[in-house]
Amino acid sequence: MSRFLTPAKVSLLTLIAMYCDGYVPKEATITVLSFLTSHLTPSVNEVQKSRDSLRTYASTTLQDIQNILKGIKSPKPPADSLWDNFLYASWRIENLDMMFDFFSNLHQLFRKRPHAYVSLTSTSLMGVFVRRAVVEFERLGFQDAVSLWMEYKYYRAAGTPASFPAKVEDGTEWEDHTSFAPNIKLVLENALGREVEFSVNASSSDVEKLLGFQIEKMQSKKVIEPMRSSFLNSWYAGDYPSSFENLHQYYDYAMSNKDRSHYQYALLNLAILHADFGCYDEAMAAMEETIATARENKDIPCLNFSLSWLQHFCTFYDGHPNNGIAPDATGTVAALGAGGRSLGFLKEKAKEFRMWSIVSSSLLNEARVDLVNGCSPQLSLERVYEASHLNMVHQLESVKSSQLLVQSSIYGRLGIAPLATAYCDLVTDCYKTNSPLEEIVRARARTAHNLALAGDYKGSMKVLEAMTADADRNIQLHQYLSVCIGLVKLKQALHNNNLCHAEKLLNALKSAPRPPDAELTFQISTAEIDYHMRLRNHDIAYDKLEILLGDDDTEASIDFASTHETASAPAKNDKATPAATAGASTSTTTTAATPPPPTSTTARSSTTDTHQMIRLLTLKCRLLARCGRPQKSLTIALRAVAAAYTSRIMPALWEAVEALADALNGIGEYEASVRCVEGVVEGAAEGGDARVVGAMWMRGADGLVGLAGLKEDKERWEGLRRALQWLEKGGSAYEAIEDFEGEVDSLRKRWKIYTLLARGNHQQGSGEASAGGAGDGVVEAEGQRVKDQEMAVEIVKRIEVVDGKMREACGR
């Protein structure tokens, strides 16, 4: 798109040159000058009065020129009609070289020539137009000049009658350049009230004028103002200084004109701006001033917008020290600090004025708050059903997507992953038209997260990348989607044990701008802890975990250098056998004396989300178990299980039970460990988290092996056979998520058990043979021994295959 020149402007330049050369008779001077003036710069009053005046400078066709010039006689040859002379002058530009000559000769219009009718002055309307046209043409690149010439040929040929003798058909095919901006066509149609067809490219100067006209029309309806528009553009682009400056210009404009009618909206935008860029104290102060100003002006819509945003702030912005929220005795949400005193007033006003969309949004926000605070799911569902009733009765389609996302969160918390994913799919498939882009992106991100938990990394990446084009229009959504994609890649790299690639991804995620969602920040932190645990940097992982938990108790310090040796030692049990040693968990007891008392990790926790707090406690259990501290791990695991069960957060409960089973194996309580796994493993399988399911089967198998070591021969072999089945299930779960380390661990334990079974069958057959037993029993024992040896050999081959996959993944 040219910055200024178009074929229509070339035609106006031709007409100006004809006027200066005396082709226009005196009686038609006013007519021609009025036409030129109206097509060069229409006045503001004309624009406001008539839509037709917009057409005069939006597009000038040869038909418009013909309507003015056709009935005017020309005092100079070659033709008698001024319109015919105009066509001759237009067709005199036969090629690109002659167009260059045409613009070069425009300088002559400013000089006094002997045969000229009039000379232009540099400050006149036509003089300014001609000077700018010459400058803009000289600034054009060669390709742009060729495009202008081709457009001019099409423009001239389309408006010239076929009977005109000077018209030349050169057979040049015209390439349509009119598809440059369908949005500009839409702007014109809205402004003019009719369909607009572009026959040629419009210049960027024309587009700027058209948009300026549209903004002025919107200003007349008090919809938007230029300074606020600039503020929004800067805000969406993530430019904090520019958005802040534009918003303050709006302040100055409102105060200088003594117009405080929209002052509260500027304050509301200022609060949102501060919150998005992490200035939470300033955001709360601006919100308080917004509410006070809106009350003063009796602006009920602004008050209700403040309600909606304040609840959103209290729910999702956890960096502010005074934004903690908790349900009161009646179950309603009250924000601590000054903001909480306004929530009740704003809610009542929303109901009083029947602003049902705000009431529905407030109910959904309260349901989200209940989920964060670990309240009963029944209370959250009750609020969702109330909002759903309002949405159906009052046909609030714009709030439907928020309702479905909250329902997805509730069912995800209850461990029904397929139903949670189905609600997200409803947002993207059935309610996409009326849903905000932010909620569509979040629904896609949740679906991708569930797919990644099940090991479908390709499907997860496909879902996220499908939203990249839409999210690129908003800097915050772009950052959110980028972090989600990075987390999926990081999860896959950690499971593949590709720690070099995982380190690069971690550094990229940590150096990126602060994610707009606290959940993403938490996932990055937990992934970093998992990374250090896989590197066996237990001291670093423990320090980072304590920072997240806010636990600074010095008694909780652990000598990691000494516990590395202890962690691999078997549990001390007088009745233990080689079978127990072969399959026992790596989380075992130590020979140390009574451990220090457990520290309180809940009182000073840096997170207000109950689910996140339980996950951190579970991580601490896993870390302590790896370091040979099962007693301390047990106390923390019991606390995590109790909190998850009370809050009915089923995914957190399954993780906590898995950590509890590991701790019980460490202290020799194998039967309790097996009972814990048997009670929840089937429900965990429905939750969709393959890592937790695999870890549960592994912990249960460790418990079965430990129990087998305490029993007699026949019961021992039966227990080991059952442990083999559980190990195979755990290995299948690890294989689904490409967790090579867990898969290899499962295969090695199976190999040890098959080796022990083969040795036991051999001893059993030898004993029966020496005792003169039946030959069938000896043959059966020998056959079983051969099968066990073959399975052990097969497992060794599979271990080599998995090791090859791990090396291949690390080489990518």
Side-chain angles (χ1 to χ4, degrees), residues 11 30 190-191 247 351 387:
S11 296
I30 296 178
N190 291 334
L247 194 58
K351 293 180 181 179

Side-chain angles (χ1 to χ4, degrees), residues 110-158:
F110 296 94
R111 300 175 184 175
K112 291 184 179 182
R113 296 168 292 166
H115 302 290
Y117 175 73
V118 68
S119 297
L120 298 178
T121 60
S122 58
T123 57
S124 65
L125 177 61
M126 290 188 292
V128 171
F129 175 72
V130 172
R131 286 171 55 202
R132 183 176 180 185
V134 172
V135 172
E136 293 291 344
F137 185 80
E138 291 175 352
R139 293 177 57 182
L140 286 180
F142 181 76
Q143 184 62 38
D144 294 331
V146 172
S147 299
L148 178 62
W149 161 242
M150 297 295 294
E151 293 167 4
Y152 181 70
K153 285 175 61 180
Y154 172 77
Y155 171 86
R156 183 181 58 185

Side-chain angles (χ1 to χ4, degrees), residues 548-724:
L548 291 177
L549 282 168
D551 193 354
D552 55 356
D553 195 339
T554 56
E555 294 182 359
S557 60
I558 298 177
D559 186 2
F560 289 96
S562 62
T563 55
H564 290 322
E565 299 289 338
T566 313
S568 59
K572 288 195 172 183
N573 194 314
D574 295 338
K575 297 183 181 180
T577 63
T581 306
S585 171
T586 56
S587 302
T588 55
T589 60
T590 64
T591 58
T594 304
T599 59
S600 175
T601 57
T602 57
R604 293 182 298 275
S605 177
S606 61
T607 176
T608 58
D609 192 328
T610 305
H611 190 186
Q612 293 180 4
M613 184 269 293
I614 297 173
R615 288 184 61 190
L616 291 176
L617 291 177
T618 306
L619 269 176
K620 191 171 185 179
C621 294
R622 291 172 53 195
L623 183 57
L624 290 171
R626 284 195 177 193
C627 298
R629 300 294 298 274
Q631 295 94 340
K632 185 172 181 58
S633 174
L634 178 63
T635 59
I636 299 176
L638 288 172
R639 187 184 306 133
V641 170
Y645 181 77
T646 303
S647 304
R648 297 297 190 272
I649 307 177
M650 305 311 294
L653 176 62
W654 298 326
E655 289 189 56
V657 169
E658 182 267 325
L660 177 61
D662 195 6
L664 290 172
N665 287 332
I667 63 175
E669 296 292 338
Y670 304 117
E671 184 176 0
S673 174
V674 173
R675 290 175 60 189
C676 288
V677 172
E678 285 180 327
V680 300
V681 67
E682 297 299 334
E686 295 180 1
D689 193 342
R691 190 207 66 79
V692 175
V693 175
M696 276 192 175
W697 287 119
M698 296 289 287
R699 301 292 86 77
D702 292 343
L704 289 174
V705 172
L707 282 176
L710 304 177
K711 296 181 179 179
E712 299 300 331
D713 289 343
K714 185 176 181 179
E715 294 181 352
R716 177 185 304 170
W717 307 133
E718 290 178 355
L720 291 178
R721 296 285 180 188
R722 188 183 179 193
L724 280 174

